[in-house]
Amino acid sequence: MSGLLALLDDVAGIAKVAAASVDDVVGQAAKAGAKAAGAVIDDAAVTPKYVAGFSPARELPIVWRIAKGSMKNKLIFLLPVGLLLNTFLPWIITPLLMIGGAYLCFEGAEKVYHLFQPKHHDADEPEGYVPDPVHLEEQKVSGAIKTDFILSAEIMTIALSEIPDSNIWMEAATLAVVAIGITVLVYGSVALIVKADDVGLHMSKEGSLALTRAIGLGIVKAMPGFMKILMVVGTAAMLWVGGSIVLHGTEVLGVGGLYHIIHNISHGAAHAVQVAQGFVTWAVTAALDGVFGLALGLALIPVTDKIILPVFKLFKKPAKV
């Protein structure tokens, strides 16, 4: 009997340790996820533009495909690679993040550039060409997952930097919790946003109260404008986050002159207004990071068109006829 009681006591002790470990993982994940909130907001703002223009029936399937790609990005690629690099090659993380940030700047700047360019007909497409919806969806999903990879890398890197020094298994478990939680949060929010007009339409037609029908009609009327605003926010977020990543990387690498100039300007503006100084500091920093991101992205457009894409095409296998 005494041996059985001792065994049960050991089991109870193991259970307490396991429970404490789970509690540590959840607590660390919550703290790390909160630190990555800025990039999470950017991710949520960027994604809805990829379902714009598709039929309502395809909106949720597209969001689901992007969400699965995002989960794959985080758990299969970024989590193990991040842990390995953080353990064996910590110095390479900053340059890789800067490359990702430059890509976001290029994506955002290209969208701004095309707003001011007259639309022209593609010589490779016949007059009156209408893109195949299936092919267009594949392009949109692929582009969304690529953009998500960069934002997810930023989220996972921020989260990893906030995890206290521990063994690799604790870090892996914490990052996995962050990855799953943030993906559910982001793409759950995106699903609600893109289906809000359908909910509003249902309310306007099926609502039993006049107020319910009026609210539903208001949602339907507001959503097109809201989606346009969200697309603008998504583009601005790319430039802001991309510029911020690159500027912070230059500071880490010891050439952060521009980073410190922006830092000084933002703090000077905050001291000048003497009101909501924390918000003013953030707003000025974000605006200047975005301006830098736009300038960098515009500079990368000709480099990409004239150098990177032609070199890439040299190594690209020709399509089979």
Side-chain angles (χ1 to χ4, degrees), residues 45-252:
V46 167
T47 305
K49 68 187 179 66
Y50 289 101
V51 300
F54 288 97
S55 66
R58 291 306 305 159
E59 289 175 344
L60 288 183
I62 290 172
V63 172
W64 173 239
R65 290 183 64 191
I66 298 171
K68 288 192 294 183
S70 177
M71 195 72 77
K72 183 178 179 181
N73 283 341
K74 293 182 180 74
L75 295 179
I76 297 180
F77 299 117
L78 294 171
L79 191 153
V81 170
L83 290 175
L84 290 173
L85 290 178
N86 189 55
T87 302
F88 299 106
L89 294 172
W91 58 268
I92 204 172
I93 292 178
T94 295
L96 289 176
L97 278 176
M98 291 176 70
I99 293 173
Y103 173 78
L104 285 179
C105 293
F106 167 77
E107 279 253 307
E110 192 175 41
K111 289 171 175 55
V112 174
Y113 176 75
H114 286 306
L115 286 177
F116 298 95
Q117 286 292 103
K119 293 184 178 180
H120 61 280
H121 177 69
D122 193 330
D124 295 331
E125 297 173 353
E127 194 69 36
Y129 169 79
V130 178
D132 174 33
V134 175
H135 179 64
L136 181 61
E137 180 176 322
E138 291 298 326
Q139 284 185 320
K140 289 285 187 178
V141 170
S142 176
I145 292 174
K146 288 177 183 176
T147 301
D148 173 271
F149 187 90
I150 306 300
L151 290 170
S152 293
E154 176 70 0
I155 290 168
M156 297 292 276
T157 302
I158 293 172
L160 183 60
S161 68
E162 291 300 319
I163 299 174
D165 290 336
S166 57
N167 62 69
I168 193 169
W169 302 112
M170 179 69 75
E171 292 177 353
T174 303
L175 282 180
V177 172
V178 170
I180 295 170
I182 284 179
T183 302
V184 171
L185 173 64
V186 168
Y187 291 98
S189 301
V190 170
L192 291 175
I193 290 170
V194 300
K195 298 307 291 182
D197 53 348
D198 293 337
V199 173
L201 184 62
H202 178 78
M203 291 172 61
S204 67
K205 290 183 176 180
E206 306 295 334
S208 57
L209 300 176
L211 178 60
T212 303
R213 294 192 295 273
I215 292 174
L217 186 60
I219 292 173
V220 172
K221 290 181 176 179
M223 283 310 296
F226 177 75
M227 289 298 291
K228 289 180 180 178
I229 292 172
L230 201 60
M231 284 191 280
V232 172
V233 171
T235 300
M238 286 189 196
L239 297 172
W240 163 37
V241 174
S244 175
I245 293 171
V246 174
L247 285 169
H248 184 263
T250 62
E251 195 272 336
V252 172

